[in-house]
Amino acid sequence: MADGEGPSIDDVLALKAPTPSFLCPLSANTYDIVFKEFEVSDYGSKRVIFRVGGDDSGAPPPDFDYGADFDEDQLRTIKYDFSTDILRLPVIATKLIFSVGDQEVRDFLMVERHYFRDRLIKSFEFSFPFCIPNTTNTWEAVYDVPPLDKDLTMDIVKSPYEVVSDSFYFVEGKLIMHNKALYRYFVPDDDEATLVATSTRDAPASGGGAGGGGGGESEGKAAEGKEE
């Protein structure tokens, strides 16, 4: 990246491991984008696996005090606990509901990179062409999940929170948000157990990654967006 400039889309696509720190401050979100609800579901059965929303969205209020004691890292990091059943789903659907402030938002792009022990296992790109000022929008995406071999699955199960994702959000090529997620996968008590997912935070996170660890690099399908 050029001196004095933030990372470009090509810069984050070239990353081979999770970033050691966040690549932009919270104040970079000058468009007042707030994530209100996030949902993960089985694309085939439409069964909801995980949903967080309402007061759990974690976005700081406009007058939030970013003082010396404020920890930005905690606010932008979330932990997910998923059943290993999710690793057997061929396709996962996600829905993100977000609002924007007084400015129009053009070429809103998300790049999401998933790693296991510093190995890239999935990379997705989704775009939302335009958001009208002061609107609430729905961003729907579909993830192809490549099959996992048994040994890799066991390594992931034995290594809680070693699957890590970086989610980068760009507007007209400029990085405005960067969130991180850590994933733990557990084996259900019986094979017929319902898909289960929970999230934990040291502090609320504004948004967060979706999906889970996969085997081999894969690409996301086209996202759909609509304004409400």
Side-chain angles (χ1 to χ4, degrees):
M1 67 188 72
D3 291 341
E5 295 182 4
S8 68
I9 297 170
D10 287 340
D11 288 334
V12 301
L13 287 173
L15 293 170
K16 302 301 183 184
T19 61
S21 59
F22 290 91
L23 301 187
C24 67
L26 280 174
S27 58
N29 181 13
T30 57
Y31 295 87
D32 297 325
I33 294 172
V34 176
F35 296 148
K36 294 180 173 292
E37 183 177 324
F38 178 62
E39 178 182 290
V40 181
S41 62
D42 174 3
Y43 181 74
S45 69
K46 311 305 180 187
R47 186 190 322 182
V48 174
I49 300 167
F50 171 78
R51 180 188 291 119
V52 62
D55 292 339
D56 294 327
S57 62
D63 58 351
F64 192 85
D65 181 11
Y66 298 101
D69 296 331
F70 174 65
D71 187 344
E72 287 194 4
D73 290 3
Q74 286 188 337
L75 190 66
R76 295 188 285 178
T77 303
I78 188 170
K79 291 182 178 179
Y80 291 110
D81 292 345
F82 284 114
S83 162
T84 51
D85 289 345
I86 195 174
L87 300 176
R88 296 195 289 269
L89 296 177
V91 185
I92 292 173
T94 64
K95 181 172 71 174
L96 175 65
I97 298 176
F98 66 96
S99 62
V100 300
D102 295 335
Q103 301 181 70
E104 64 182 31
V105 176
R106 295 181 179 273
D107 299 327
F108 190 23
L109 174 72
M110 179 185 76
V111 175
E112 187 167 286
R113 310 273 282 177
H114 290 248
Y115 307 89
F116 177 58
R117 293 178 176 170
D118 293 340
R119 167 191 168 190
L120 179 66
I121 54 177
K122 289 197 296 185
S123 183
F124 300 103
E125 294 178 59
F126 298 115
S127 61
F128 201 108
F130 181 76
C131 302
I132 297 172
N134 300 307
T135 57
T136 297
N137 305 269
T138 300
W139 195 343
E140 296 180 323
V142 177
Y143 295 72
D144 283 318
V145 182
L148 288 171
D149 63 63
K150 185 175 181 180
D151 289 341
L152 180 57
T153 300
M154 291 308 299
D155 283 345
I156 288 174
V157 171
K158 293 176 182 178
S159 309
Y161 305 121
E162 289 192 47
V163 174
V164 179
S165 67
D166 280 306
S167 297
F168 305 97
Y169 299 87
F170 292 85
V171 172
E172 297 185 270
K174 180 180 179 181
L175 182 65
I176 65 162
M177 289 186 288
H178 178 192
N179 296 325
K180 286 181 174 287
L182 296 84
Y183 305 84
R184 179 180 77 90
Y185 295 90
F186 61 90
V187 179
D189 291 337
D190 61 75
D191 291 339
E192 301 302 320
T194 301
L195 289 171
V196 176
T198 61
S199 71
T200 58
R201 299 182 180 89
D202 296 324
S206 296
E217 187 171 344
S218 67
E219 297 297 330
K221 293 183 178 178
E224 298 178 355
K226 60 184 178 181
E227 293 165 349
E228 300 175 347

